[in-house]
C-alpha cells in the first residue's frame, strides 16, 4: 500500500476516535468522499493497525446503534422550527 494512503487512513481513524465522529463528519473534515473514509477505516485500517481498527470499529458501532435516535431528534427540531403559513 502507498505510504500516503497509510498515513491518511491513520489520520482518519485517529480523528474518528478523538471526536467520536461519524464517517460523514470525517469525510467533511478531510474533504474526501464518505465512501473513501468508510473503505479506509473498515478495510484498509485492518491491515495497517489492528488495535486502532478495533477502537474505530467501537465508535462506528456506537454511531450505528444511535443513528435512529439522531434522526428522530433532527426531525423533531425540523418541525419545531417550521413556521406555519
Amino acid at each position: 500500500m502507498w505510504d500516503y494512503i497509510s498515513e491518511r487512513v491513520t489520520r482518519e481513524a485517529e480523528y474518528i476516535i478523538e471526536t467520536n465522529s461519524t464517517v460523514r463528519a470525517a469525510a467533511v473534515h478531510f474533504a474526501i468522499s464518505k465512501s473513501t473514509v468508510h473503505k479506509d477505516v473498515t478495510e484498509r485500517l485492518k491491515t495497517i493497525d489492528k488495535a486502532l481498527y478495533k477502537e474505530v470499529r467501537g465508535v462506528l458501532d456506537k454511531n450505528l446503534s444511535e443513528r435512529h435516535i439522531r434522526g428522530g431528534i433532527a426531525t423533531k427540531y425540523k418541525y419545531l422550527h417550521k413556521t406555519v403559513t
Side-chain angles (χ1 to χ4, degrees), residues 67-77:
R67 183 172 59 188
H68 68 285
I69 296 169
R70 285 194 302 271
I73 292 170
T75 302
K76 177 182 175 181
Y77 285 123

Side-chain angles (χ1 to χ4, degrees), residues 41-85:
V41 297
T42 59
E43 295 178 20
R44 294 181 179 130
L45 184 60
K46 197 183 299 185
T47 61
I48 296 171
D49 188 343
K50 201 85 151 154
L52 194 58
Y53 168 76
K54 288 181 181 180
E55 288 184 58
V56 169
R57 191 73 246 171
V59 173
L60 296 179
D61 288 342
K62 181 180 78 69
N63 287 338
L64 181 64
S65 69
E66 294 174 349
R67 183 172 59 188
H68 68 285
I69 296 169
R70 285 194 302 271
I73 292 170
T75 302
K76 177 182 175 181
Y77 285 123
K78 174 183 174 182
Y79 288 105
L80 282 176
H81 298 302
K82 193 172 186 175
T83 59
V84 179
T85 56

